Amino acid sequence: MAMEIDSATLPLPAIRASTQATILCYNCGAPIDGTQAAGALCSDCLKLTVDITAGIERDGILYMCRDCDRWLSPPTSYVVATLESRELLALCLRKLRGLNKSRIIDASFIWTEPHSRRIKLKITVQQEAFQGTILQQTFDVEFVQQYRQCPDCQKSYTHNTWRAVVQVRQKVPHKRTFLYLEQLILKQGAHKETINIKEVQNGIDFYFSQRNHAEKFIDFLTSVSPVRTKKSQELISMDIHTSSASYKFSYACELVPVCKDDLVALPPKLAKTLGNISPLTLCYRIGTAVNLLDPNTLQISDLSTPIYWRTPFAPLADVQSLVEFVIMDIEPLGPQNGRFVLAEATVARASDLGVNDTTYNIRTHLGAVLHAGDSAMGYHLTGSQYNNDNFEAIQASKQYGGTIPDVILVKKHYAARRKHGGGKARNWKLKRMAREESEMKPRKQDAEREAVDYEQFLRDLEADEDLREGLKLYRDGDAAPKRGMEVDGEEDDDEDEGLEIPMEQLIDEMEDVGLEDEDVEGEEV
């Protein structure tokens, strides 16, 4: 019998060299590797039962200042961030508590209606659930947008909160200099730190909340115009225990009272130091210095700001004294200096045509732009009386007394635009600075004078290409050109010939704010 048992032995299965230990998931019963399973759970149950985002906030509040469109970055700072920008996304992530314990894999915005005042995010994070087990989950966060006025805007709506004021003044009878300076400020954004801008007689006041902002603005003024500055301060309060004091600072900035196209009579001694130029000159440009031109010889000289303020003087005549002349004949002489070409011309006053035959033979620097039959604006020196010591010294001088011309031409004259129906509308426009308006309405004559100065400034920009190089001119889509208007039975097509600004020199308002790739049709900017 024993022999039978030995012969009937059943074959045993082959024993594996390494046996994988397995257990059952206590939640669903699926077999898993017990040596690697976290908490005796399979991967599917681990994802369903363990939430690594439990300690992360799912909602929050974002505060925005509706006046300056900046967002509150706790605790007290305000930052500039557009909707769905990287700056706003970083601000939202910083406001979520508990997010610093997880690793952020991805974060993006979920589109919401612009008027809903809700900002939604989709965030993907990774975190270690158990030892050796890392989970990745995605969740949504919703922020509510609320409004809160920032301290800077609070100060702008409160009186007597400024710490520094820059008072820009120029003692001239027109505002063309300030109109040009305003466009330079707008292009460079030098007024962004101001809390108030107030227009006063003979100038503009710029108010700042900090002293360093005012000094930065003064540096800008010094870099674009001939100006001298005087500083004063007023004590507001003082702590005797800590010896700390609070001051208000005032900066008086006075511009040189010499403007473009002004006739300047230099003191003879000063003229010799400026390259021995003729004392009777024409100001053809204003930069960091006063650029002077002798129209008889095309000699150019620069009068620096420090030299001018040592012995300041007023111009002999300004643009309000210009007289219209008609070019009877003109012939270039050959000498040329940049855009100026010396020429001999025969001119007559426009008011004398048909009355008398008085003509003047003069030299002019406008030989490149004037032709026979054109009109030009200039100063009529013959028969004019000037109460100016420098001009009297020039007349009494043996060297320069006989060189005073009868007429000094300044610029080419174009027909005036007609306001009521005639002429072509401008295809461009300028932006203006927002400034505080006085409670009392300006006088009628002052408002008319400002309108005349602004119109003359626009015409100077159209006629002078060098003047508009540093400015931003915008396309005016609302301008409706009117061509072929009949005036007294004649068509007025050639009224503004020579004043057209090429379209390539104009910029679009959408491009200026960085929205050229977006569809903003119908929106108001």
Side-chain angles (χ1 to χ4, degrees):
M1 187 145 187
M3 295 294 294
E4 293 178 358
I5 294 175
D6 294 337
S7 61
T9 56
L10 299 176
L12 297 175
I15 300 176
R16 297 179 181 178
S18 61
T19 304
Q20 182 178 7
T22 59
I23 60 174
L24 298 179
C25 174
Y26 77 85
N27 190 28
C28 64
I32 58 176
D33 186 359
T35 61
Q36 299 180 359
L41 288 173
C42 63
S43 59
D44 295 334
C45 294
L46 188 64
K47 296 177 182 179
L48 295 175
T49 58
V50 177
D51 185 10
I52 62 174
T53 65
I56 304 176
E57 291 183 345
R58 301 302 178 92
D59 53 14
I61 299 176
L62 291 177
Y63 293 100
M64 177 184 181
C65 178
R66 69 173 72 204
D67 296 318
C68 60
D69 294 336
R70 294 188 300 173
W71 302 85
L72 173 62
S73 179
T76 57
S77 62
Y78 281 77
V79 296
V80 178
T82 58
L83 293 177
E84 298 191 3
S85 63
R86 298 178 60 182
E87 293 79 7
L88 184 58
L89 180 61
L91 178 61
C92 294
L93 295 179
R94 285 197 301 267
K95 288 184 67 68
L96 291 180
R97 295 181 179 178
L99 193 60
N100 56 349
K101 299 180 181 179
S102 304
R103 180 184 179 185
I104 302 176
I105 301 301
D106 185 29
S108 60
F109 287 97
I110 300 176
W111 185 86
T112 56
E113 291 287 349
H115 61 271
S116 65
R117 290 169 53 179
R118 298 292 187 274
I119 297 177
K120 294 184 178 181
L121 300 180
K122 183 179 181 181
I123 305 175
T124 302
V125 297
Q126 281 185 355
Q127 187 176 342
E128 187 178 11
F130 297 97
Q131 185 177 4
T133 303
I134 298 177
L135 290 184
Q136 177 174 313
Q137 292 181 354
T138 302
F139 63 99
D140 297 340
V141 179
E142 180 177 343
F143 290 92
V144 179
Q145 178 183 344
Q146 295 185 4
Y147 294 115
R148 174 185 293 181
Q149 196 174 40
C150 66
D152 295 338
C153 293
Q154 290 176 2
K155 292 181 180 180
S156 65
Y157 288 96
T158 308
H159 295 288
N160 302 323
T161 58
W162 55 271
R163 284 294 175 266
V165 58
V166 179
Q167 301 171 337
V168 186
R169 300 289 186 270
Q170 187 183 36
K171 298 178 182 179
V172 292
H174 56 80
K175 292 186 176 295
R176 293 167 55 217
T177 302
F178 288 102
L179 292 173
Y180 179 72
L181 186 61
E182 177 186 16
Q183 299 303 318
L184 292 178
I185 292 173
L186 287 173
K187 181 179 180 181
Q188 302 297 333
H191 66 300
K192 291 183 178 179
E193 302 295 343
T194 58
I195 60 177
N196 191 16
I197 301 175
K198 186 176 181 180
E199 187 172 1
V200 296
Q201 186 178 8
N202 296 331
I204 304 177
D205 291 344
F206 298 87
Y207 295 89
F208 298 88
S209 60
Q210 298 182 20
R211 176 186 175 184
N212 58 344
H213 293 163
E215 293 178 347
K216 181 180 178 181
F217 184 76
I218 292 174
D219 292 340
F220 168 77
L221 291 179
T222 307
S223 65
V224 297
S225 60
V227 59
R228 69 171 178 178
T229 305
K230 293 183 179 180
K231 172 187 171 184
S232 62
Q233 59 187 22
E234 177 186 358
L235 179 63
I236 300 176
S237 62
M238 182 174 181
D239 188 353
I240 60 175
H241 301 287
T242 60
S243 298
S244 60
S246 178
Y247 292 92
K248 279 187 175 181
F249 299 91
S250 297
Y251 298 90
C253 299
E254 185 176 359
L255 299 174
V256 171
V258 179
C259 303
K260 183 178 178 293
D261 299 335
D262 284 356
L263 184 62
V264 179
L266 298 172
K269 292 183 179 180
L270 178 61
K272 291 182 180 180
T273 61
L274 298 179
N276 201 21
I277 193 173
S278 174
L280 192 61
T281 58
L282 191 68
C283 177
Y284 71 95
R285 184 176 58 189
I286 293 291
T288 55
V290 180
N291 304 125
L292 303 175
L293 168 70
D294 182 5
N296 292 323
T297 61
L298 300 186
Q299 183 180 356
I300 290 177
S301 181
D302 296 338
L303 178 60
S304 63
T305 306
I307 294 178
Y308 173 83
W309 288 115
R310 290 176 191 170
T311 56
F313 55 89
L316 184 63
D318 55 27
V319 292
Q320 295 182 346
S321 304
L322 290 176
V323 180
E324 182 179 356
F325 292 89
V326 177
I327 309 301
M328 311 300 294
D329 187 21
I330 188 170
E331 181 180 356
L333 296 179
Q336 184 174 355
N337 189 350
R339 58 189 175 95
F340 302 125
V341 176
L342 189 63
E344 283 189 352
T346 303
V347 300
R349 289 181 58 174
S351 59
D352 292 342
L353 295 180
V355 179
N356 56 54
D357 299 331
T358 304
T359 59
Y360 304 97
N361 296 322
I362 62 170
R363 284 190 175 188
T364 179
H365 61 288
L366 303 177
V369 296
L370 292 181
H371 304 85
D374 291 343
S375 296
M377 303 299 292
Y379 296 105
H380 192 193
L381 302 182
T382 302
S384 299
Q385 297 293 331
Y386 297 104
N387 186 15
N388 188 282
D389 295 338
N390 295 331
F391 185 67
E392 293 176 359
I394 296 174
Q395 289 178 323
S397 174
K398 296 181 180 180
Q399 181 179 0
Y400 302 108
T403 62
I404 300 177
D406 298 325
V407 176
I408 295 181
L409 298 182
V410 176
K411 58 184 177 180
K412 186 176 180 181
H413 178 62
Y414 297 91
R417 293 180 184 268
R418 294 174 174 82
K419 296 182 180 179
H420 304 289
K424 296 179 288 185
R426 290 187 175 93
N427 61 342
W428 59 278
K429 59 183 179 180
L430 297 174
K431 287 185 177 181
R432 303 297 302 275
M433 286 190 307
R435 62 192 68 187
E436 180 182 349
E437 296 182 357
S438 176
E439 297 180 358
M440 298 181 60
K441 293 184 178 180
R443 295 183 303 174
K444 183 178 180 181
Q445 54 268 33
D446 293 339
E448 292 177 352
R449 185 176 61 183
E450 291 181 2
V452 171
D453 290 342
Y454 187 67
E455 176 65 23
Q456 184 61 42
F457 174 68
L458 296 180
R459 296 184 62 80
D460 289 342
L461 291 180
E462 291 174 326
D464 193 346
E465 184 177 357
D466 296 336
L467 186 62
R468 60 175 182 263
E469 280 185 354
L471 308 183
K472 284 187 176 182
L473 279 64
Y474 299 89
R475 299 188 185 97
D476 188 2
D478 299 333
K482 301 178 182 179
R483 299 179 180 272
M485 298 296 295
E486 293 188 1
V487 181
D488 298 333
E490 299 181 358
E491 290 192 354
D492 195 29
D493 283 338
D494 300 332
E495 179 188 42
D496 300 319
E497 183 180 357
L499 294 181
E500 291 292 336
I501 297 181
M503 293 299 294
E504 58 268 15
Q505 297 183 12
L506 306 178
I507 61 176
D508 195 352
E509 290 186 86
M510 298 299 102
E511 297 177 1
D512 190 35
V513 297
L515 299 177
E516 63 273 12
D517 296 333
E518 300 181 8
D519 185 10
V520 292
E521 184 177 0
E523 296 184 5
E524 182 180 355
V525 178

